[in-house]
Each structure stands twice: as structure tokens, then as C-alpha cells.
């Protein structure tokens, strides 16, 4: 697992030098949810609010994320991807999929199905944290 995590972090830097694995993950979540609050990001990923705040600030400075007032509760700010954020996320997603596809190209269909099943099982673990 440690090797897997190290490779994921290293490949994120190669795919887009300005986008860390954490940044990529947060952008992906914002796209999937069509925006959310920073506190929602922190809760979803079990991260400290200050960690998320630093990441979001960096994404804002890079022009990839912007804060918008929640139309239902004007006291709340919702994080949204900018067009630049959507563009970079799309580029990195295509590159990541190509890299994974290349790595799995010589696996049999049976191995791929077994691997996918193991990932689903691993990710379905009901408890949060380690």
C-alpha cells in the first residue's frame, strides 16, 4: 500500500506539475458533487479543516476553484470549479487513465475482473480511518 501511495503521488506531479494528488482528488470531488463547502471536503476525506483550507487557497490562487455564495443560505460559501479547473482536471484524468491502461494492458480479463472486485471490496470497508 505504501508503494502504491508513493507511486500515485509521484505520478500526479508528472501528469501536471501544479496539481498534487490531494489537489486532484479535491477537484474531482468538487466536479462530482457540482461544488460543496470546504467543511464537506474535510469531513468526506477525514482531513483537518486547516489542511483543506490550505489546499483550497492554493487552488483558488491557481484559478482552478472559486467561492460562490450558496443560493439557499447566503451565509455559506460553496466551492466550485472554474473553467480552468475543469480543463486541467479533464487533462489530468485523461493522462491518469492512459497511464493506468498502459500498466494494465497485459493483464487478462480474469485478472482485471478480480482486481476490480478486490478494489470494490477494499473501498467498501464500513469504518472510516485506518
Amino acid at each position: 500500500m505504501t508503494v502504491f501511495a508513493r507511486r500515485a503521488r509521484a505520478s500526479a506531479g508528472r501528469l501536471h506539475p501544479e496539481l498534487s494528488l490531494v489537489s486532484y482528488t479535491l477537484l474531482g470531488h468538487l466536479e462530482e458533487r457540482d461544488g460543496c463547502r470546504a467543511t464537506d471536503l474535510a469531513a468526506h476525506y477525514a482531513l483537518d479543516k486547516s489542511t483543506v483550507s490550505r489546499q483550497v487557497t492554493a487552488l483558488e490562487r491557481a484559478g482552478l476553484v472559486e467561492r460562490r455564495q450558496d443560493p439557499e443560505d447566503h451565509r455559506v460559501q460553496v466551492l466550485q470549479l472554474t473553467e480552468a479547473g475543469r480543463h486541467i482536471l479533464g487533462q489530468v484524468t485523461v493522462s491518469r487513465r492512459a497511464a493506468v491502461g498502459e500498466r494494465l494492458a497485459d493483464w487478462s480479463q480474469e485478472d482485471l475482473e478480480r482486481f476490480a472486485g478486490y478494489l470494490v471490496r477494499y473501498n467498501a470497508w464500513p469504518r472510516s480511518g485506518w
Side-chain angles (χ1 to χ4, degrees):
M1 291 302 293
T2 301
V3 171
F4 181 81
R6 284 183 186 148
R7 284 185 176 159
R9 282 191 298 273
S11 70
R14 285 191 305 272
L15 294 173
H16 196 284
E18 296 172 29
L19 208 55
S20 71
L21 182 59
V22 173
S23 297
Y24 173 77
T25 303
L26 296 180
L27 289 176
H29 188 81
L30 291 174
E31 180 183 54
E32 183 180 299
R33 301 273 191 237
D34 195 26
C36 68
R37 300 173 305 162
T39 55
D40 297 332
L41 286 173
H44 182 77
Y45 290 106
L47 294 170
D48 187 77
K49 290 178 188 176
S50 64
T51 300
V52 171
S53 178
R54 284 191 301 276
Q55 291 291 325
V56 167
T57 298
L59 292 170
E60 283 181 297
R61 285 186 184 138
L64 306 178
V65 169
E66 63 187 5
R67 295 177 192 265
R68 296 185 187 159
Q69 196 174 55
D70 186 331
E72 296 176 18
D73 184 348
H74 297 292
R75 298 170 296 168
V76 175
Q77 290 189 333
V78 177
L79 301 169
Q80 296 281 332
L81 292 180
T82 62
E83 283 304 312
R86 288 184 195 288
H87 180 73
I88 286 178
L89 181 61
Q91 285 180 323
V92 174
T93 298
V94 167
S95 297
R96 288 183 75 96
R97 286 183 180 158
V100 170
E102 184 179 327
R103 180 165 243 156
L104 300 176
D106 62 347
W107 288 33
S108 70
Q109 186 64 33
E110 182 181 332
D111 285 345
L112 289 171
E113 289 171 8
R114 191 177 303 126
F115 182 60
Y118 291 148
L119 287 173
V120 168
R121 183 175 161 193
Y122 179 83
N123 288 325
W125 181 254
R127 295 184 227 156
S128 62
W130 290 98

